[in-house]
Amino acid sequence: GAGVSQSPSNKVTEKGKDVELRCDPISGHTALYWYRQSLGQGLEFLIYFQGNSAPDKSGLPSDRFSAERTGGSVSTLTIQRTQQEDSAVYLCASSIRQVINEQFFGPGTRLTVL
Amino acid sequence: DAKTTQPTSMDCAEGRAANLPCNHSTISGNEYVYWYRQIHSQGPQYIIHGLKNNETNEMASLIITEDRKSSTLILPHATLRDTAVYYCIVRTLYNQGGKLIFGQGTELSVKP
């Protein structure tokens, strides 16, 4: 079956522009996570969705970052007024439910802010 | 969640067993040990997890010491495709919604 997909795979933008990154989780997975990985940095958690519950936004680095999940499936991560320090690989993961053992990761979107 | 300590890097000869250690001396009774790996330019991949008993699956074995303060991930016959960064993560099943807190991991290089 299809895994987690993300689009675009690469995004180059100019400082100050807004960007939207998309994640299509595995069908039937109720939990969805966004992480990012900066050059030389580890993976850091950004935001988490579980069913109809309020998302856990505790990892978002600033109010320029937001995410939504429509219909319990596709999620969009939006970064407004991008800065050079936002350059990173943004990874999406999903799991059957929040307490299930295995998170399945997508291939990521590489964002470069010039 | 408990903090983990892993060596920054390790080498292993192809076909030999790769033994990757992880220290988690502050682990609490309801915390599990998880292992993920990240092959270059890919997203992380789940490998195995355990609570206190040793575990084995088609990818690896997990050995947890009796006091649970450390563990070892064993890849029994390492191949070049096992070259990756390996992350040891300790967390409860129900805490923090299941989000993963990654450390720096161990960069394993499997050499011919």
Side-chain angles (χ1 to χ4, degrees):
Chain A
V4 177
S5 61
Q6 294 186 243
S7 60
S9 54
N10 283 285
K11 176 71 176 178
V12 179
T13 190
E14 293 179 349
K15 178 181 173 181
K17 301 278 190 180
D18 297 352
V19 295
E20 287 188 351
L21 312 180
R22 177 187 168 105
C23 172
D24 284 83
I26 294 172
S27 177
H29 282 194
T30 62
L32 186 146
Y33 308 80
W34 283 98
Y35 298 84
R36 77 173 176 181
Q37 187 168 31
S38 306
L39 187 63
Q41 300 293 316
L43 285 140
E44 60 174 324
F45 165 79
L46 296 177
I47 187 170
Y48 150 73
F49 296 89
Q50 169 58 48
N52 295 321
S53 303
D56 175 355
K57 305 179 182 179
S58 59
L60 295 179
S62 78
D63 58 9
R64 295 187 296 104
F65 287 72
S66 63
E68 63 176 19
R69 188 177 185 192
T70 54
S73 181
V74 172
S75 177
T76 302
L77 177 69
T78 302
I79 309 173
Q80 295 179 311
R81 305 180 303 281
T82 52
Q83 304 295 314
Q84 289 184 330
E85 60 263 29
D86 300 334
S87 295
V89 176
Y90 289 81
L91 291 153
C92 175
S94 70
S95 63
I96 295 175
R97 55 185 185 274
Q98 69 180 60
V99 298
I100 207 68
N101 306 315
E102 183 174 1
Q103 290 184 23
F104 294 84
F105 282 79
T109 293
R110 181 174 297 279
L111 174 67
T112 303
V113 182
L114 301 176
Chain B
D1 290 336
K3 179 180 173 61
T4 62
T5 304
Q6 300 177 251
T8 303
S9 63
M10 293 182 63
D11 289 343
C12 178
E14 187 178 20
R16 304 298 293 269
N19 297 286
L20 292 95
C22 179
N23 285 320
H24 31 80
S25 58
T26 60
I27 193 170
S28 59
N30 62 347
E31 288 183 312
Y32 287 68
V33 179
Y34 289 79
W35 284 84
Y36 279 74
R37 74 179 182 183
Q38 187 175 22
I39 295 170
H40 183 61
S41 297
Q42 297 183 20
Q45 176 190 25
Y46 166 84
I47 301 173
I48 199 167
H49 78 285
L51 182 62
K52 54 183 178 181
N53 296 322
N54 298 336
E55 302 287 344
T56 296
N57 63 21
E58 65 278 4
M59 289 184 69
S61 294
L62 174 60
I63 308 298
I64 303 174
T65 58
E66 190 169 347
D67 64 7
R68 302 188 66 238
K69 293 183 184 299
S70 66
S71 60
T72 301
L73 178 74
I74 301 172
L75 308 178
H77 305 287
T79 71
L80 299 179
R81 289 173 295 180
D82 292 321
T83 293
V85 178
Y86 287 77
Y87 297 98
C88 170
I89 301 167
V90 173
R91 69 169 182 91
T92 62
L93 279 185
Y94 296 89
N95 189 39
Q96 301 178 344
K99 65 188 177 188
L100 298 172
I101 308 298
F102 290 86
Q104 294 303 309
T106 296
E107 186 167 6
L108 175 69
S109 297
V110 180
K111 300 181 183 298

